[in-house]
Amino acid sequence: MIWWLVTGDVTAIPPAIFFELAWLDLFYVGTYVPPSAMLGYLVYYPLTLLFNLHLPQQAVVLLVLCLPLPALGAKAEVWLRMRHGVKTYDALLEAVNAEKDIQGTLSAGILRYLARGIALAVFVYLCCIGVLFSVLWFVGVYSGAWPAGGCEPAAYDPHNLTDVVNNWGAVWAAGSIGGLLSLRIRPAKICFIAGALGVVVLML
């Protein structure tokens, strides 16, 4: 949304909605780390700008390849938490036994975790976007055969809500299956139905 507000490029919004819908039913509960939908989107969208792929018909392969990336980001975060947590716990235990500065030890552990988290996030992101860039370049540029290329409607207007929904509606529906299956309580179902009716009214 920030990118859209700054650049006016509304094509940034539809894929963001897809990635949020795809992982909508998984969220933080206790120590559970849900998939990071942002990772998939931040890999997908720059590549669409670079290779001029704005519609799902053109970038269907890229969408599928980016879909598992949020789960990969979550696994990387869990790995870092487990690895760093053990080291920080040992350092705190040693500080307590030696009657050292416990607060200083804890603060240092938190700062190390933040630094390592940023470094790991950058590393994972660069690896993901580097691999997918290589795949797209090989398939689209070197081989001269874009996945599902040439499907862009001649009259497509990205600023027209109807055109956007016509092109992304099926993709959004597929991405929302997990969220729909997770609606197990009546208030959630009522909210969903009310929202769906509201969208229908706006589209009429």
Side-chain angles (χ1 to χ4, degrees), residues 74-91 109 112-113 116-117 120:
K75 288 185 179 296
E77 185 176 347
V78 170
W79 174 83
L80 177 63
R81 288 188 181 191
M82 296 296 293
R83 179 180 174 86
H84 184 77
V86 171
K87 291 184 176 181
T88 303
Y89 174 80
D90 291 341
R112 281 195 299 270
Y113 174 78
R116 291 171 181 172
L120 179 62

Side-chain angles (χ1 to χ4, degrees), residues 10 13-14 17 156-169 172 199 202-204:
V10 76
I13 300 297
I17 295 174
Y156 174 69
D157 180 8
H159 301 283
N160 185 301
L161 181 60
T162 301
D163 280 357
V164 171
V165 172
N166 286 341
N167 283 278
W168 283 93
W172 291 339
V199 172
L202 289 175
M203 294 298 297
L204 293 178

Side-chain angles (χ1 to χ4, degrees), residues 3-156:
W3 176 265
W4 167 53
L5 292 175
V6 172
T7 65
D9 185 3
V10 76
T11 58
I13 300 297
I17 295 174
F18 167 75
F19 283 104
E20 288 297 331
L21 288 173
W23 300 105
L24 184 64
D25 58 321
L26 300 175
F27 47 86
Y28 280 100
V29 176
T31 59
Y32 173 70
V33 178
S36 174
M38 185 63 72
L39 175 60
Y41 176 74
L42 290 179
V43 171
Y44 170 85
Y45 192 66
L47 291 176
T48 62
L49 293 178
L50 185 62
F51 291 99
N52 196 29
L53 303 172
H54 296 294
L55 294 176
Q57 298 97 318
Q58 298 171 320
V60 60
V61 172
L62 181 58
L63 274 173
V64 173
L65 292 176
C66 288
L67 195 55
L69 297 185
L72 175 63
K75 288 185 179 296
E77 185 176 347
V78 170
W79 174 83
L80 177 63
R81 288 188 181 191
M82 296 296 293
R83 179 180 174 86
H84 184 77
V86 171
K87 291 184 176 181
T88 303
Y89 174 80
D90 291 341
L92 282 172
L93 189 61
E94 181 181 349
V96 170
N97 293 333
E99 297 183 353
K100 295 180 180 179
D101 182 12
I102 299 176
Q103 183 176 355
T105 302
L106 180 59
S107 298
I110 293 174
L111 291 176
R112 281 195 299 270
Y113 174 78
L114 292 176
R116 291 171 181 172
I118 293 173
L120 179 62
V122 171
F123 174 76
V124 170
Y125 176 78
L126 292 178
C127 287
C128 291
I129 199 169
V131 170
L132 291 184
F133 171 83
S134 301
V135 171
L136 283 183
W137 183 86
F138 178 79
V139 173
V141 178
Y142 182 76
S143 299
W146 283 112
C151 298
E152 182 175 0
Y156 174 69

